[in-house]
Amino acid sequence: MNALDYVDDQLSSVLKCWRFAPGGRPGTVSLTGRQYFADGDGVRVLIRVAGEEALASDGGVMAARLTDAGVDIAGSTRAGAAWREILAQFELRELDGRIVGRRPLRQADQLASDIASAMLTADGLRWLALPERESKLTKQLYDFLRAEKFSFTRRPTISLPRGSKVKPTARVTTPKREVLIQTVAGGEQGIEHALSLVQRIDRASYTFDQRLVLLKGVPGEWPADHLDLLAEHTPVGFSARMEQVQAFLGKGKKLPSPVEGL
């Protein structure tokens, strides 16, 4: 595919030092350059034309990386204050978990560079990761695994193909397979973190039935749209239906759809 088939002429004329690729949505371009995170993952910026302006974002990657590292950038936390200072420094802002910015088209190159620089700077906040605290749901999962005599590892480190790492709640070893489990006690951010984690695990060659997201309560307590999206990437279990989780782990029995009957 020729770059000009999907790059707006106005962008291609001002973005000189970037490599172009389709951005996944009509009119959106993915930019990569020579910048990389410390773990080897490349820095990617999404950009598109809106009238006489260029709009750019990190696609939510930075917030997901920090969440995966256990860094809380919300509210009045130390990491949250540093996060907002970094965005202000580059004249950017946060919108729905994404670093975003807008500039006149002639400044598109600088805008893309500022997004990338803000991402690299914010990645340094990973050292502010809070000590992991177990939720009641996580404790319930560990107690369940012990009671059912499943062999498991708490907070295993899973290496991805390009060198980055994720730490799900547990790795369970069954007679036929390993299963990585992520618990979510509540909140949209928890769902998004779990979704990001299972999508990354897919890159580490863990098959669909080697993943499990355990949600608190019953399906009716969660937004159906979120359940539907999550179920596209992983089996979903519920803390009020642990007998289904036991059958999934012990017998390889398929979990029912989380939106069934909603």
Side-chain angles (χ1 to χ4, degrees):
M1 177 184 290
N2 186 291
L4 293 179
D5 290 338
Y6 56 82
V7 178
D8 189 290
D9 288 346
Q10 299 173 91
L11 284 179
S12 62
S13 65
V14 294
L15 295 169
K16 303 294 187 181
C17 300
W18 297 87
R19 292 191 295 272
F20 297 90
R25 294 184 179 181
T28 299
V29 180
S30 172
L31 306 178
T32 54
R34 300 177 181 177
Q35 295 162 301
Y36 296 86
F37 294 110
D39 59 14
D41 282 356
V43 174
R44 184 181 71 141
V45 176
L46 301 176
I47 195 166
R48 65 183 176 88
V49 173
E52 298 299 318
E53 294 184 309
L55 308 183
S57 86
D58 73 330
V61 168
M62 200 61 252
R65 284 177 64 87
L66 293 174
T67 298
D68 286 347
V71 179
D72 181 8
I73 57 174
S76 58
T77 64
R78 181 183 176 191
W83 165 262
R84 290 185 288 276
E85 288 176 6
I86 290 169
L87 299 190
Q89 175 186 347
F90 291 97
E91 298 182 352
L92 303 169
R93 63 191 180 95
E94 180 185 352
L95 178 64
D96 297 331
R98 296 173 290 123
I99 298 175
V100 300
R102 61 192 304 156
R103 308 272 171 81
L105 270 172
R106 66 181 181 278
Q107 298 178 15
D109 187 71
Q110 184 60 53
L111 173 60
S113 294
D114 284 348
I115 293 277
S117 295
M119 293 172 70
L120 289 170
T121 304
D123 203 49
L125 298 178
R126 291 156 70 91
W127 69 271
L128 290 174
L130 296 173
E132 293 174 349
R133 291 180 293 180
E134 293 179 359
S135 67
K136 290 182 179 179
L137 178 60
T138 296
K139 291 178 180 178
Q140 178 186 349
L141 171 65
Y142 293 155
D143 289 344
F144 163 80
L145 294 173
R146 292 189 194 97
E148 295 295 330
K149 302 189 183 311
F150 285 114
S151 175
F152 71 98
T153 303
R154 294 163 52 153
R155 305 287 181 187
T157 298
I158 307 300
S159 297
L160 303 182
R162 292 186 178 273
S164 59
K165 303 179 187 299
V166 294
K167 297 183 68 174
T169 306
R171 176 174 56 207
V172 180
T173 302
T174 74
K176 295 184 178 180
R177 72 201 196 284
E178 285 187 347
V179 180
L180 301 180
I181 303 178
Q182 178 65 29
T183 57
V184 181
E188 184 173 346
Q189 188 177 37
I191 286 280
E192 291 175 350
H193 172 55
L195 180 60
S196 171
L197 185 140
V198 295
Q199 288 174 324
R200 292 186 182 191
I201 286 173
D202 182 39
R203 295 174 56 199
S205 300
Y206 282 83
T207 60
F208 189 82
D209 73 339
Q210 290 182 278
R211 316 169 211 165
L212 171 64
V213 170
L214 180 66
L215 302 180
K216 181 181 178 181
V218 296
E221 298 173 357
W222 295 86
D225 287 337
H226 291 173
L227 295 180
D228 208 21
L229 179 60
L230 195 58
E232 292 180 8
H233 300 277
T234 178
V236 180
F238 295 89
S239 65
R241 300 177 178 178
M242 293 304 288
E243 72 283 356
Q244 295 178 348
V245 174
Q246 197 282 336
F248 173 77
L249 294 174
K251 301 177 181 178
K253 187 174 180 180
K254 183 178 178 181
L255 285 166
S257 166
V259 294
E260 189 176 286
L262 294 182

